[in-house]
Amino acid sequence: TYEERIGQEQVNRDLDLAKRVQQGLLPSKPPDVTGYQLFDFYEPAREIGGDFFDYIPLSGGRLAIVLADVSGKGVSAALVMMALSKDVRYCLASEEDLSTAVARINESFCKGGWDDRFATAIFLVLDPIAHKAKLVSAGHMPAYVRTPDGRLETHGDDTAGTPLGVVSQAVYESIDIALPAGSVVVLYTDGISEAMDQDQRPYGMERLEKMCLAPTDSAEETGRRILKDVERYTAGQIRSDDICLVCLGRT
């Protein structure tokens, strides 16, 4: 009917506006960090998604890189994501200690009244002067670091705390990562590891690790290699989850 068509057009307009608001929250391009290169990619499965990433400049020339994945899909996940992104920026900028900042983000999320929503998140604070980083995982996929001598380190799986919004007063542990020249760090959401092929088999961690390990000249080369391989693997399947990837390389 005419009314239904008008109603659907209104819904589409609202979705389009939500998409523009969400894109406005995400970084339009990576920041310039002396001695480092950043590459990022974000693609929601639908018009809007529950994945999010951000770069937050901190005192002393440090830079926080955050990736998060809110449970659920569509508009409601995107609304929770928008609220979370605001808390993340505020807590990281106002609290020097990363573990404490993440605990504060979790408290705020728990008090948000988001029903049974939760979010996994990974926080990396880069110190480009000391060439090291601090990492905290809130139930997120582990970070990979390809070392200059061609090894692959996995960080944040055994020290991962609970996802944000699951338990109040959760404690988070930070770990230190050294970044010698030529290191590449890979952060991602499970839209990559769980991307399905035509037989509904997931891409998997093993294949991702192989891509992270391959010889590389830059963070961008590693990032593009991963995305191309996921694309090849899924071979035109309709994507069921958002994809988010950030690679950091020390040049």
Side-chain angles (χ1 to χ4, degrees):
T1 68
Y2 176 72
E3 282 85 4
E4 279 170 348
R5 203 170 75 241
I6 294 294
Q8 189 55 50
E9 279 172 11
Q10 182 61 51
V11 167
N12 291 345
R13 271 202 301 275
D14 286 351
L15 270 177
D16 191 52
L17 177 62
K19 181 180 180 175
R20 289 205 303 274
V21 169
Q22 184 172 41
Q23 281 171 341
L25 282 176
L26 299 171
S28 53
K29 65 181 185 12
D32 290 323
V33 183
T34 307
Y36 287 83
Q37 185 203 25
L38 281 153
F39 169 81
D40 58 48
F41 177 84
Y42 176 85
E43 189 173 78
R46 304 187 186 167
E47 284 90 346
I48 51 178
D51 277 13
F52 125 83
F53 76 103
D54 205 358
Y55 304 109
I56 301 140
L58 304 176
S59 61
R62 294 170 307 141
L63 176 73
I65 303 169
V66 184
L67 267 76
D69 179 359
V70 173
S71 62
K73 299 267 185 297
V75 178
S76 55
L79 287 170
V80 175
M81 179 282 251
M82 290 174 196
L84 174 62
S85 70
K86 197 171 89 239
D87 279 345
V88 163
R89 279 184 191 161
Y90 175 74
C91 293
L92 287 175
S94 59
E95 172 55 62
E96 188 75 14
D97 180 70
L98 180 58
S99 300
T100 310
V102 176
R104 279 177 59 186
I105 293 164
N106 177 60
E107 280 315 294
S108 183
F109 199 105
C110 288
K111 289 192 182 107
W114 303 113
D115 296 334
D116 49 3
R117 295 276 164 165
F118 63 91
T120 69
I122 196 159
F123 303 82
L124 183 93
V125 173
L126 168 69
D127 182 339
I129 298 159
H131 300 303
K132 60 182 188 189
K134 276 200 180 306
L135 180 113
V136 168
S137 171
H140 199 76
M141 319 291 294
Y144 289 121
V145 180
R146 186 192 190 278
T147 63
D149 57 3
R151 288 177 302 111
L152 192 67
E153 297 174 351
T154 306
H155 292 285
D157 48 350
D158 46 358
T159 53
T162 53
L164 304 172
V166 175
V167 285
S168 182
Q169 317 262 276
V171 175
Y172 295 91
E173 191 183 331
S174 76
I175 53 171
D176 292 305
I177 301 171
L179 297 171
S183 310
V184 175
V185 184
V186 179
L187 307 171
Y188 54 97
T189 55
D190 62 8
I192 288 185
S193 54
E194 292 174 9
M196 298 287 186
D197 70 2
Q198 284 157 328
D199 300 319
Q200 297 301 295
R201 287 177 308 212
Y203 181 79
M205 304 295 277
E206 212 171 292
R207 190 160 172 151
L208 176 58
E209 286 170 15
K210 212 175 277 177
M211 290 298 116
C212 294
L213 246 183
T216 186
D217 289 326
S218 67
E220 181 170 358
E221 187 186 5
T222 298
R224 293 203 185 281
R225 181 192 294 127
I226 292 167
L227 294 170
K228 196 180 262 173
D229 195 55
V230 171
E231 193 63 41
R232 196 183 297 131
Y233 183 82
T234 54
Q237 290 291 94
I238 299 291
R239 199 161 281 151
S240 64
D241 202 359
D242 310 330
I243 279 188
C244 185
L245 172 75
V246 174
C247 300
L248 164 76
R250 182 176 165 199
T251 47

